[in-house]
């Protein structure tokens, strides 16, 4: 290996292949790996640099290196597989770099994430109080790993952990740390939590970044704890007091009160400070390491988690070149499909030309957590597969450099090998769908407040799960991007989007005025940007419905349907069975119904619908059709008392409108989406799906007929379509971890194809089969015999 300098930056350039004497079981993998990296031997002649450099790369636009017409593409746009060994303090004494180099090769990664500094340093740092790892013993472990990776042609993300420090650091600079109202420092275990407004972030962390770049030249930096103290605690240190006073001319709020002006400003002030830290760290890393030596932090897959950490996803993505996604496992309520939704949501902010590697735990993460035990292989595989389907790139993650449970070493290689083979179909593409589901972090904060699960996440989950179960592709759409993205969608869905700004409301109205269809639920548009109640829905003219009483403040609405347990309530379906209207009905005779709306398909044999929430009276406009009305709660126990006290009201639960342009609006004051998100009741799902289909005129680009729970994704790429089908039907669909996968099929698939393109060949990337397309009036039709975990169909000329 030699070092060359371009633009005063020292870079490692491999001049001979790395050691290939690790383990006979990976000889073939090593040979394949060396073949993939052979272009690096021409590095000097091609003026290509490693470590923070751009690459001139092969011709295939979907190749590992992302080459397009000899375009130079930076490392953070081309590396699509990552690996991380999260080093513990005891690892330096026994870290076997040779073995891990063989594992890098076997898993076909293009880059690694290596612990560098922050809480502890894994190199001989000269910065005061930058404590070295317990067993480092003078070893330069980060330097060794960085050099080894560069010799192997890999990029290096130097991992930081910058929000805590040990007691000796606290004793030296107590004013750099967070404190509560009484002056007591906040702690996480034995560590003291640093303050986001202190010199720790302004000076100490930049000095660590500078030292690491000057010594080792990593490609960039990532940090999983960069945003400091979360929203659940308020820091009253002098740094925070001074900064907040200078910004807003008032004292830091004494308690969390969403109706207090100071608290609201404190929320915004915290968000702004995290963006300042993001920009500061990037200025430092780029000024010293070069234009592509970026600082990328880490971010989570949960919007509520981002809110609690003051990480504004929209503003971060507006500045980010890559999102390093720290979302290692599913939860039981949301399932594997949440990973695909997260990928599409983040791409909607970041852009589809950029990458989103995700930390995917090979250990048992989630419920329960065992850091040193292997996650069941199928649980890990399904999480990775669903992420890939949503546009995420795989990044295996181990805690510790030595494991007695060696089963985890066998999990990543098969799927990363498949990913390398097929990656040209998995990047540089754009989603195809015409349904957008609207969200915003502002709604999470100021409408969700301290009840985000009930007010925000359950309605969102209900709508998105209904779409997935119905096999209707969709995209998350940020409320600020409605205007930008409106032309992509024939239907926008507002799932209890209680907080909407005036601009967002205006964007929805323009969208509908232009012929777009709309579905809204719950209290959508009823509150302004701070969560203060409006006198009526801001979208009341579209809903055809109006509030008749005073809208309570969220803080006063203690018994609102969003935060209470399920009530024993129903909705009455209209029109009713005639026997109910005209008199008693002989149950031995078939019932006679009035003509019912297509939205009520499948409910022909019932006049009532299980609800579970509460409703308030509404005034409706002329021309608004009411299909369901509220039946108030009555006892469940004892059974003798379980009869309707008030069997009928005129309180609407479902309203439909057809507008002059032929477009449609559906409004569900009854929050069926929240109920479905909570209880998974099929009636709730079927009604939501019916409403979505009616509002969209049943106009979707994909139809999939067959058994099971299947998540469907469509992408366009040059002159081909790429379809992902993920089989969510397994032994642990709603309870992690999954052990066995259950094959399902066959499936009859119909996909709409663009005009003027004659698709006639279908390649299945998982089974390896080739199919002939059946083209029929603009639709491509084919069959897939069976799905185990997933299949990817590439349809091309």
């Amino acid at each position: 290996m030699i070092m060359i300098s371009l633009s005063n930056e020292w870079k490692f350039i491999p001049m001979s292949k790395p050691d290939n004497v690790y383990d006979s079981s990976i000889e073939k993998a090593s040979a394949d790996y060396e073949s993939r990296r052979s272009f690096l031997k021409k590095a000097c002649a091609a003026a290509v640099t490693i470590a923070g450099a751009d690459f001139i790369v092969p011709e295939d636009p979907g190749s590992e290196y992302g080459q397009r017409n000899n375009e130079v593409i930076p490392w953070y746009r081309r590396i699509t597989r990552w690996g991380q060994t999260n080093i513990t303090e005891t690892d330096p004494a026994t870290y076997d770099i040779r073995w891990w180099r063989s594992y890098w090769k076997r898993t076909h990664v293009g880059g690694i994430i290596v612990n560098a500094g922050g809480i502890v340093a894994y190199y001989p740092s000269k910065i005061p109080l930058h404590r070295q790892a317990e067993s480092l013993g003078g070893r330069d472990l980060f330097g060794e790993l960085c050099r080894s990776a560069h010799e192997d042609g890999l990029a290096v993300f130097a991992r930081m952990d910058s929000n805590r420090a040990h007691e000796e650091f606290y004793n030296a600079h107590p004013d750099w740390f967070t404190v509560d109202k009484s002056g007591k420092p906040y702690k996480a275990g034995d560590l003291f939590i640093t303050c986001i407004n202190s010199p720790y972030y302004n000076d100490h962390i930049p000095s660590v970044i500078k030292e690491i770049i000057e010594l080792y030249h990593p490609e960039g930096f990532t940090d999983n704890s960069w945003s400091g103290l979360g929203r659940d605690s308020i820091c009253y240190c002098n740094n925070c007091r001074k900064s907040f006073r200078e910004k807003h001319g008032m004292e830091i709020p004494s308690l969390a009160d969403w109706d207090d002006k100071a608290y609201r400003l404190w929320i915004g002030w915290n968000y702004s400070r995290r963006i300042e830290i993001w920009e500061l760290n990037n200025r430092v890393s780029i000024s010293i390491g070069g234009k592509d030596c970026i600082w990328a932090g880490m971010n989570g897959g949960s919007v509520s988690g981002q809110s609690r950490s003051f990480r504004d996803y929209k503003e971060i993505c507006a500045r980010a070149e890559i999102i390093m996604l720290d979302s290692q496992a599913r939860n039981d309520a949301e399932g594997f499909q949440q990973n695909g939704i997260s990928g599409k949501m983040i791409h909607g902010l970041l852009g589809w030309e950029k990458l989103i590697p995700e930390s995917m735990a090979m250990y048992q993460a989630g419920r329960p957590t065992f850091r040193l035990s292997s996650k069941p292989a199928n649980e890990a595989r399904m999480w990775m597969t669903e992420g890939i389907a949503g546009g995420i790139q795989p990044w295996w993650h181990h805690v510790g450099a030595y494991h007695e449970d060696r089963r985890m070493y066998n999990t990543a290689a098969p799927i990363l090998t498949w990913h390398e083979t097929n990656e040209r179909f998995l990047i540089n593409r754009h989603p195809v769908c015409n349904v957008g589901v609207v969200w915003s972090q502002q709604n999470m904060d100021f409408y969700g407040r301290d009840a985000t699960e009930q007010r925000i996440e359950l309605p969102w989950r209900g709508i998105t799960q209904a779409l997935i179960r119905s096999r209707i592709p969709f995209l998350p759409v940020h409320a600020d991007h409605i205007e930008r993205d409106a032309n992509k969608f024939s239907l926008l869905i507002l799932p209890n989007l209680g907080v909407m700004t005036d601009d967002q409301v205006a964007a929805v109205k323009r969208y509908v005025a232009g012929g777009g269809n709309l579905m809204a639920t719950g209290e959508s548009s009823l509150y302004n940007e701070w969560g203060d109640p409006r006198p009526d829905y801001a979208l009341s003219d579209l809903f055809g419905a109006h509030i008749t009483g005073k809208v309570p403040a969220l803080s006063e609405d203690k018994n609102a349907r969003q935060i209470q347990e399920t009530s024993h309530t129903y909705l009455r379906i209209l029109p009713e069975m005639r026997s109910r209207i005209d008199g008693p009905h002989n149950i031995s005779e078939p019932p006679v119904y009035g003509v019912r709306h297509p939205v009520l398909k499948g409910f022909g044999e019932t006049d009532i619908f299980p609800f579970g929430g509460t409703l308030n009276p509404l005034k409706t406009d002329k021309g608004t059709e009411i299909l369901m009305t509220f039946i108030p709660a009555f006892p469940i126990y004892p059974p003798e008392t379980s009869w309707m006290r008030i069997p009928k009201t005129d309180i609407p639960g479902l309203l439909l409108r057809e507008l002059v342009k032929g477009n449609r609006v559906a409004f569900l004051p009854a929050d069926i989406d929240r109920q479905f998100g909570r209880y998974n009741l099929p009636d709730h799902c079927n009604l939501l799906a019916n409403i979505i289909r009616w509002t969209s005129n049943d106009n979707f680009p994909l139809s999939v007929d067959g058994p099971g729970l299947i998540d469907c994704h469509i992408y366009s790429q040059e002159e081909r379509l790429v379809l992902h089908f993920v089989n969510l039907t397994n032994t642990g669909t709603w309870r992690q971890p999954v052990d066995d996968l259950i094959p399902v099929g066959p499936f009859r698939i119909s996909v709409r194809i663009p005009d003027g393109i004659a698709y006639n060949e279908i390649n299945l990337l998982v089974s390896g089969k080739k199919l002939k397309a059946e083209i029929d009036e603009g639709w491509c039709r084919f069959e897939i015999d069976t799905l185990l975990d997933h299949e990817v169909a590439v349809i091309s000329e």
Side-chain angles (χ1 to χ4, degrees), residues 120-137:
V120 295
Y122 288 92
Y123 68 97
S125 174
K126 291 182 170 48
I127 294 174
L129 298 172
H130 193 200
R131 176 172 172 160
Q132 296 184 21
E134 182 177 313
S135 64
L136 195 63

Side-chain angles (χ1 to χ4, degrees), residues 498-622:
V499 159
M500 295 183 70
T501 68
D502 291 343
D503 287 344
Q504 292 165 358
V505 169
V508 170
K509 289 185 176 183
R510 285 191 293 270
Y511 167 77
V512 174
N517 301 303
L518 180 68
M519 175 181 174
T521 72
E523 295 186 328
S524 292
S525 80
L526 194 52
Y527 295 86
N528 68 14
E529 64 268 30
W530 296 109
D532 292 330
R534 292 182 166 112
D536 197 0
Y537 303 108
L539 295 172
S540 61
D541 54 335
L542 297 181
F543 296 165
H546 305 272
I547 299 291
T548 59
K550 180 183 178 183
V551 179
L554 290 168
S555 58
E556 299 170 357
D557 198 15
K558 300 299 183 184
N559 296 312
R561 64 184 177 278
Q562 289 85 352
I563 58 176
Q564 68 176 5
E565 291 301 319
T566 299
S567 300
H568 190 218
T569 61
Y570 294 78
L571 297 175
R572 183 160 298 286
I573 300 174
L574 304 176
E576 295 178 278
M577 190 171 65
R578 285 200 185 129
S579 61
R580 164 68 79 175
I581 298 171
D582 300 331
H585 173 60
N586 185 341
I587 62 172
S588 65
E589 298 175 0
V592 179
Y593 292 94
V595 178
R596 283 186 168 171
H597 197 281
V599 158
L600 302 173
K601 179 181 179 181
F603 299 104
E605 295 188 76
T606 179
D607 289 339
I608 59 172
F609 182 89
F611 175 28
T614 63
L615 284 173
N616 295 312
L618 294 176
K619 177 184 176 183
T620 58
D621 293 335
K622 184 179 180 181

Side-chain angles (χ1 to χ4, degrees), residues 688-707:
L688 291 170
N690 286 352
I691 296 170
I692 291 167
R693 291 188 181 281
W694 176 81
T695 314
S696 299
N697 290 289
D698 211 7
N699 179 26
F700 307 111
L702 178 71
S703 172
V704 179
D705 295 323

Side-chain angles (χ1 to χ4, degrees), residues 251-267:
E251 295 301 318
I252 287 176
S254 59
L255 51 81
D257 179 358
W258 290 95
D259 291 331
D260 175 43
K261 179 180 179 182
Y263 186 73
R264 293 175 174 182
L265 294 174
W266 179 80
I267 293 287

Side-chain angles (χ1 to χ4, degrees), residues 627-675:
L627 296 191
M628 290 180 163
T629 55
F630 181 57
I631 300 174
F634 55 94
I636 295 176
Y637 300 107
E640 291 82 357
T641 69
S642 191
W643 51 273
M644 295 178 187
R645 305 313 195 258
I646 305 176
K648 287 186 180 182
T649 73
D650 60 0
I651 300 174
L654 170 60
L655 303 96
L656 304 181
R657 300 185 71 212
E658 295 199 51
L659 306 182
V660 174
K661 290 190 175 182
N663 50 328
R664 297 170 172 179
V665 176
F667 177 45
L668 258 174
D671 54 349
I672 298 298
D673 49 351
R674 182 176 72 93
Q675 300 300 334

